[in-house]
Amino acid sequence: MKLYQPGDTSRAICPHCGKLVSTTFAYRDVPFEDGSGVVKGILAAVCDECQNVIAIPAQSTPAIRRARDAAEISLEVSIPAPEVEILDAAAYRVDPSATTRFRKSLFAFYLQRLRHSEETAEMLRRDFEAWNAVKTEQRKRVSRGIRIPHRRLSFKISPKTDRDVQWLMETSGMNKTDTVRSVVMEIEKDLLGPNTPRELRHLQDIAAVVNA
Ligand SMILES: [Zn+2]
C-alpha cells in the first residue's frame, strides 16, 4: 500500500470536471457514502481544477470506518437479576478488577463466536430453551415464592455488533431479550463451568485493554 502525504500529487478522472485532472492530497471533511454523517479531516485526493474530493486513499479507510462505527446504538433488555449476576461473576473470573464496562466486551466476544453458522444459531436456541426451563424450575424451588426481580442491561454497541445481534435474532428465531440471555448462558457455560475456559488468557488480554 502506498502511503500518501499531504501535498503529494496524482492524476485521476474527476467526475465533476468530466476529464483526467491532476490531484493534490490534502485533509478534508468527507461525507459517508450514505450521507449519514461526515468524517472530519481525512487525507483525500482533491481535484486541482474544481477542488472537489475525488478519491480516498486506502490509508484513510480505517478512519472512515472508525467514525462510522463510533455511531453507537443502544441495546437494552430487561433480564432476570441472577443472569446479570452471572455476567458479573464471569467478568470477575476473567479479571477481579474488571468493572461493569467489561460486561459489554464479554457479551460482544461470545456473540462474535456464535455468529458462524445457522446450525450454531439453531443449536443455541434449543440449548437456551432447555437452560431456561432448568433455571426457571430452580428459581421457583429455591426462592419459595420470593419474587426474582428483572434488571435492565444496557449497552452502547457499534453498528457491527448490532448487525451481529440482528443476525442471531433472525437466524435463531429468538426475540432480543432471549438472544441476549442465550449469550449469557454461553458465558456461564464457558466461564463459570468446572473446566478452565479455553479463552481465559485471550479474555484476560481483552480485559487489560478495556481497563486501560
Ligand atoms: Zn474537478
Side-chain angles (χ1 to χ4, degrees):
M1 182 174 93
K2 177 168 167 42
L3 269 184
Y4 292 97
Q5 307 289 332
D8 279 353
T9 56
S10 182
R11 292 175 79 73
I13 303 285
C14 175
H16 307 280
C17 300
K19 59 177 183 181
L20 187 68
V21 296
S22 62
T23 65
T24 304
F25 283 87
Y27 288 96
R28 288 285 185 275
D29 296 346
V30 176
F32 293 138
E33 274 167 28
D34 61 5
S36 65
V38 168
V39 204
K40 292 207 177 290
I42 64 161
L43 195 65
V46 178
C47 172
D48 287 341
E49 297 189 22
C50 71
Q51 304 303 315
N52 279 300
V53 169
I54 59 175
I56 309 291
Q59 75 202 60
S60 293
T61 52
I64 295 176
R65 206 170 296 136
R66 194 163 55 238
R68 192 194 299 266
D69 280 352
E72 289 184 323
I73 295 169
S74 169
L75 173 70
E76 278 197 30
V77 291
S78 175
I79 68 173
E83 293 170 20
V84 178
E85 288 153 21
I86 287 172
L87 207 49
D88 287 343
Y92 187 85
R93 171 92 204 263
V94 172
D95 179 356
S97 68
T99 62
T100 53
R101 209 149 54 121
F102 188 58
R103 283 177 183 170
K104 181 175 83 172
S105 313
L106 265 185
F107 175 79
F109 180 85
Y110 282 89
L111 177 71
Q112 177 62 35
R113 281 211 325 189
L114 287 166
R115 68 169 310 296
H116 287 308
S117 69
E118 291 184 15
E119 208 176 293
T120 313
E122 176 62 28
M123 206 154 65
L124 181 75
R125 185 175 56 78
R126 283 201 300 270
D127 286 354
F128 174 72
E129 281 164 4
W131 183 79
N132 190 31
V134 169
K135 290 285 182 195
T136 306
E137 188 49 45
Q138 253 175 17
R139 281 168 203 156
K140 220 182 284 172
R141 203 173 55 236
V142 176
S143 67
R144 291 190 302 271
I146 299 170
R147 207 179 65 82
I148 305 276
H150 276 56
R151 272 167 62 191
R152 202 173 62 101
L153 202 57
S154 172
F155 298 139
K156 290 273 182 250
I157 57 174
S158 66
K160 185 194 167 296
T161 300
D162 185 56
R163 285 193 294 276
D164 288 351
V165 172
Q166 299 298 335
W167 178 88
L168 192 55
M169 282 170 67
E170 275 159 34
T171 315
S172 69
M174 290 188 284
N175 63 25
K176 190 182 279 181
T177 302
D178 285 352
T179 300
V180 171
R181 293 178 66 207
S182 72
V183 177
V184 172
M185 168 188 79
E186 289 293 298
I187 293 171
E188 182 190 44
K189 281 184 180 167
D190 198 46
L191 284 175
L192 301 178
N195 302 320
T196 304
R198 269 177 305 156
E199 308 278 12
L200 192 58
R201 268 316 305 257
H202 191 177
L203 284 163
Q204 283 167 339
D205 288 345
I206 295 171
V209 174
V210 171
N211 289 339

